Amino acid sequence: MPKDHGIGASPKRREDVRFLTGNGNYTDDINMNGQAYVHFLRSDVAHGTINSIDTAAAAAIPGVVKIFTSVDFEAVGGVPCGWEITDRHGNAMQEPKHPILAEGKVRYVGEMIAAVIAETAEIARDAAEVIEVDISDLPAVVNMKAAVVDGSPKVHDDLTSNLCYDWGFVEENRDAVDAAIKGAAHVTTLELVNNRLIANPMEPRVCIGDYDRPAGDHTLYTTSQNPHVIRLLMGAFVLGIPEHKLRVVSPDVGGGFGTKIFHYAEEAFCTFAAKACNRPVKWTSSRSEAFMSDAHGRDHVTKIELALDADNNFVAVRTDTHANMGAYLSTFAPSVPTWLHGTLMAGNYKTPLIYINVKAVFTNTVPVDAYRGAGRPEASFQLERVIDKAAHELGVDPIALRRQNFITEFPYATPVAVEYDTGDYHATMDKLEEMADFAGFDARRAESEKNGKLRGLGVNCYIEACGIAPSNLVGQLGARAGLYESATVRVNATGGLVVMTGSHSHGQGHETAFPQVIAEMIGIDESMIEIVHGDTSTVPMGMGTYGSRSLAVGGSAMVRATEKIINKAKKIAAHLMEASDADIELKDGTFSIAGTDKSVAWGDVTLAAYVPHNYPLEDIEPGLEETAFYDPANFTYPSGAYACEVEVDPDTGKVTIQRMIAADDFGNIVNPMIVDGQVHGGLAQGIGQALLEGCVYDDDGQLLSGSYMDYAMPRADDLPFYEVDHSCQTPCTHNPLGVKGCGEAGAIGSPPSVVNAVVNALRSAGKDVTHVDMPLSPNRVWEALNG
């Protein structure tokens, strides 16, 4: 019988009450006394030299408060990058300055040139339109491979080239991989594109800077997934504000998908301008601005080779990838195509030799950074596509080929430097086969053909690394921040708890799931527990929410802090009952002496903690509040098997997804309903990438897909009813909850299953189609079908 509370139950999300009734508190809902508004004049050319900026006409408009250009930021640092990559030759990556406002040159369409602060947003916008900027156009570089050719126009004149880094991993394996591929019985080669995406969270970015002149205190309200990281990067490296003088508040946030992890120039500007103008300064992004200023995602071009022996065992994988960085390095951009991508190229398979080469390239486009999955979707897509192609070339069943090469013994050290602690890939594939009814596919295909449609079936597996830890390891790999998480648990005198966490919630359901964990540990009702997050003045230093880390890392910090609470409470209970604390047990909110019927309630103990009449203060200090920092020993490794069935209209090339089936292993599950929702959302975004979404620039660096007129987002009728399962559970061995991440899985596992299904459908028409690049628009599919 399903549980109705605690770990494993599915209570409705408590935060949804305020969202559904219009009582959410988003950054744009915040308005301050004396607030002014900023509008940014953005470049409409991709590459050019700024000859002059004339602001006189704009400054004369009534209501204009102040106009800023780059000269106002000469003493200010640039937007920092949070991860440094060392290339395969041992050299540090090229790292250009990322100015707040363009200095001397513009490098992409959408870069900020000037900022107008005015009494209203309308006045600021009108004034920005009359600023005269003289720019001499320079040749733009958009194509990554062309950008690294000798003689190509340089995005940054002070760099030696447009190559940020040339990364090889594992470099010591390179010769062995080359030899294995050369001597293999069969080699499958595939060239593919992982298309550039725009995250498009429901809420655009917003920020408000405020300055308390008497106290010298700065406050930034912003739409961020990790306010402490923003405080650290902006305060220390950009504006030089001591952390105790800078408060960052991230209230309710309407979706992030990675794009709200990063520190943006607009945040630094509003913080700086609030002090310069001595009044609050607010910016709310328009959707058009978001398209050309939010960090984009993906954008890899890859050649992958899979070598097999005569028995169809995988013997080696070699990849060569060009990864787009855009014009500047966003916060975690360098890590995405390297450590978050290369280390997952083993997938679910026991391939003994792997070599990954990644060339990160600067282009005259919006900076690119992490988007839901961040490196893991890119790895899974190329690996699962090349395996499907190999099965076709060898004439073997693609599921059987995967099963033959599955890792079966754990822990398993991959040749790309990570160790999977647990997993059961046969179990998830077994569950997928049970759910998908593969035996009935031929009949479903025949029915589709009767209706003039082609039907295809695609299957794939995935594994991802979540949690991004431990700090000492990622520090050696170039991370410029720790990747632990924190929690403070404060118990009130009457027994209720306030839990302050560095993990930020922007759709994950933390306010529901976290109390389930703590309530189960203590044995109290979840309604007695309040979750507080998003304010650096209130919560302990934490790293925020991304990489499917909240429960595995943030939840583990809460467990450790709650364990401290329970241990102290047991000592108080022991004094109250005149027993040894070693004999005290806590169950269902009651402390008891083991083997007796003597007990004291949770509320009585918590009251005694604050009214210490019955125990010696020299042994136990008053109060009941504890803090814990949790730094994981390893990543967590969720995995799964996905299947997709599609129908293709041969007359138009339109693809309709008939079934999408996901069997995942997320370890222990705290709230099955929330996990289902996370998988559903990831599947929608993965299907969107596979079929619809694609960010496109022309050769001059103009963004052609700069609105919803040209950028196709998935709608309800583009998506099927999902069939999901997470009953295959191999608990994580190194965190106290045994949990793994779940938030990105759907976006990782679904794109290859969709593409595999479409290719399978086209082959059913007798066409020797090996690959179609995403997005699989009707035009692309029709062209593939018609040669």
Side-chain angles (χ1 to χ4, degrees), residues 230-420:
I230 304 305
R231 185 180 71 165
L232 175 64
L233 293 177
M234 185 179 74
F237 299 105
V238 184
L239 301 180
I241 303 171
E243 282 187 275
H244 69 286
K245 288 294 182 182
L246 175 59
R247 175 190 178 203
V248 177
V249 181
S250 182
D252 289 329
V253 172
F257 313 124
T259 198
K260 292 177 183 173
I261 297 171
F262 324 121
H263 174 41
Y264 287 94
E266 292 91 347
E267 294 169 321
F269 176 87
C270 287
T271 306
F272 179 90
K275 180 179 180 180
C277 298
N278 196 28
R279 61 191 293 187
V281 174
K282 182 176 186 177
W283 171 71
T284 300
S285 173
S286 68
R287 186 59 65 180
S288 295
E289 280 185 292
F291 272 93
M292 60 181 176
S293 65
D294 290 3
H296 293 175
R298 313 285 195 254
D299 206 356
H300 289 189
V301 176
T302 296
K303 176 183 177 182
I304 180 169
E305 297 164 281
L306 171 65
L308 303 92
D309 66 17
D311 295 320
N312 295 339
N313 298 306
F314 300 166
V315 296
V317 167
R318 180 171 63 196
T319 73
D320 181 18
T321 293
H322 286 72
N324 204 335
M325 295 289 101
Y328 299 101
L329 293 178
S330 181
T331 306
F332 292 121
S335 68
V336 174
T338 51
W339 299 115
L340 300 184
H341 157 248
T343 53
L344 271 297
M345 282 308 303
N348 308 64
Y349 312 103
K350 52 182 186 284
T351 312
L353 292 167
I354 300 174
Y355 180 74
I356 312 300
N357 179 243
V358 177
K359 296 175 179 67
V361 183
F362 293 112
T363 62
N364 292 117
T365 62
V366 172
V368 179
D369 209 319
Y371 171 74
R372 196 169 193 167
R376 284 72 56 87
E378 294 90 321
S380 290
F381 183 70
Q382 56 190 278
L383 186 59
E384 293 298 319
R385 282 293 300 120
V386 80
I387 291 172
D388 239 48
K389 185 169 186 264
H392 177 67
E393 291 174 350
L394 294 166
V396 299
D397 177 68
I399 295 177
L401 182 61
R402 287 175 168 87
R403 284 187 180 275
Q404 176 180 338
N405 288 281
F406 276 162
I407 297 163
T408 56
E409 296 182 2
F410 296 88
Y412 178 82
T414 76
V416 278
V418 294
E419 182 175 280
Y420 304 160

Side-chain angles (χ1 to χ4, degrees), residues 581-618:
D581 57 294
D583 295 328
I584 302 299
E585 297 176 343
L586 172 61
K587 183 178 181 182
D588 297 331
T590 299
F591 295 92
S592 61
I593 303 173
T596 75
D597 59 359
K598 196 171 184 179
S599 66
V600 61
W602 167 259
D604 294 332
V605 173
T606 62
L607 182 62
Y610 291 93
V611 185
H613 293 166
N614 298 308
Y615 58 87
L617 296 179
E618 62 269 20

Side-chain angles (χ1 to χ4, degrees), residues 40-50 102 105-114 133 135 137 292 366 701-703:
F40 295 107
L41 176 64
R42 298 181 182 273
S43 176
D44 58 3
V45 299
H47 197 197
T49 301
I50 301 173
K105 283 178 69 173
V106 291
R107 294 181 173 87
Y108 66 92
V109 171
E111 183 169 9
M112 300 186 300
I113 298 173
V133 183
I135 297 178
D137 284 11
M292 60 181 176
V366 172
Q702 291 294 327
L703 180 61

Side-chain angles (χ1 to χ4, degrees), residues 622-634:
L624 202 51
E625 179 174 326
E626 298 287 350
T627 295
F629 288 78
Y630 180 79
D631 201 339
N634 192 0

